[in-house]
């Protein structure tokens, strides 16, 4: 498989509940494929931990970057161009973190591993390489 981008929940589940990730996703993450993590995933997790909304991630919050690298993941860039795309793309989805993740996937021309079906609304966008997921949790 080509390089991939993962969303916030895939990063979190890889740390606290890998069984939630189906066999297909685990296989991709463990295959030697280059797996990129958008920087906003670290922001989203630490923000939710600080607000008391993601207790399961609290013990990991201060070292997410190191834990991500230990799994072989790479930090994706987040550029001004990506930020402008996130803010301006014609997509009704209001979540700023998802918009940043989508813009990163689009600008890097990578498929996105995510359970979130909202990303499927990007199917007709140029440079959208799709969403990878299987099954339901």
């Amino acid at each position: 498989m080509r390089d991939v981008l993962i969303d916030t929940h895939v990063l979190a589940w890889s740390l606290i509940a890998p069984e939630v990730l189906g066999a297909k996703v685990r296989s991709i993450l463990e295959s030697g494929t280059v797996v990129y993590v958008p920087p906003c995933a670290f922001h989203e997790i630490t923000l939710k931990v600080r607000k008391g909304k993601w207790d399961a991630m609290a013990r990991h919050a201060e070292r997410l970057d190191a834990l991500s690298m230990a799994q072989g993941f790479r930090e994706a860039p987040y550029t001004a161009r990506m930020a402008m795309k996130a803010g301006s793309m014609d997509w009704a989805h209001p979540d700023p973190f998802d918009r940043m993740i989508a813009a990163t996937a689009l600008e890097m021309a990578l498929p996105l591993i995510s359970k979130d079906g909202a990303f499927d609304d990007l199917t007709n966008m140029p440079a959208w390489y799709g969403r990878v997921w299987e099954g339901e949790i």
Side-chain angles (χ1 to χ4, degrees):
M1 170 146 227
R2 62 178 300 147
D3 298 352
V4 296
L5 183 74
I6 61 174
D7 77 358
T8 304
H9 279 91
V10 173
L11 172 60
W13 291 327
S14 75
L15 296 168
I16 62 172
E19 68 281 357
V20 168
L21 305 171
K24 178 180 179 181
V25 170
R26 283 195 315 272
S27 174
I28 293 168
L29 298 182
E30 297 167 0
S31 71
T33 295
V34 178
V35 176
Y36 288 98
V37 178
C40 66
F42 303 124
H43 179 171
E44 184 174 15
I45 292 169
T46 55
L47 178 67
K48 288 181 178 180
V49 166
R50 182 178 58 80
K51 290 183 171 187
K53 295 182 177 183
W54 207 343
D55 292 339
M57 287 302 293
R59 68 185 180 109
H60 301 298
E62 289 187 17
R63 52 190 222 288
L64 284 170
D65 54 347
L67 291 169
S68 176
M69 284 181 26
Q71 293 189 86
F73 302 163
R74 294 186 191 171
E75 184 179 331
Y78 192 70
T79 65
R81 183 169 175 80
M82 290 172 177
M84 292 184 301
K85 181 176 278 301
S88 66
M89 76 173 76
D90 187 18
W91 184 30
H93 193 57
D95 183 293
F97 294 109
D98 285 352
R99 293 181 71 83
M100 287 184 267
I101 291 167
T104 302
L106 286 162
E107 287 296 309
M108 293 183 73
L110 297 174
L112 174 66
I113 299 179
S114 175
K115 180 184 183 281
D116 191 344
F119 291 106
D120 294 339
D121 292 341
L122 300 172
T123 299
N124 294 323
M125 268 197 165
W128 179 249
Y129 283 85
R131 179 177 70 93
V132 178
W133 193 258
E134 89 287 347
E136 288 295 321
I137 61 169

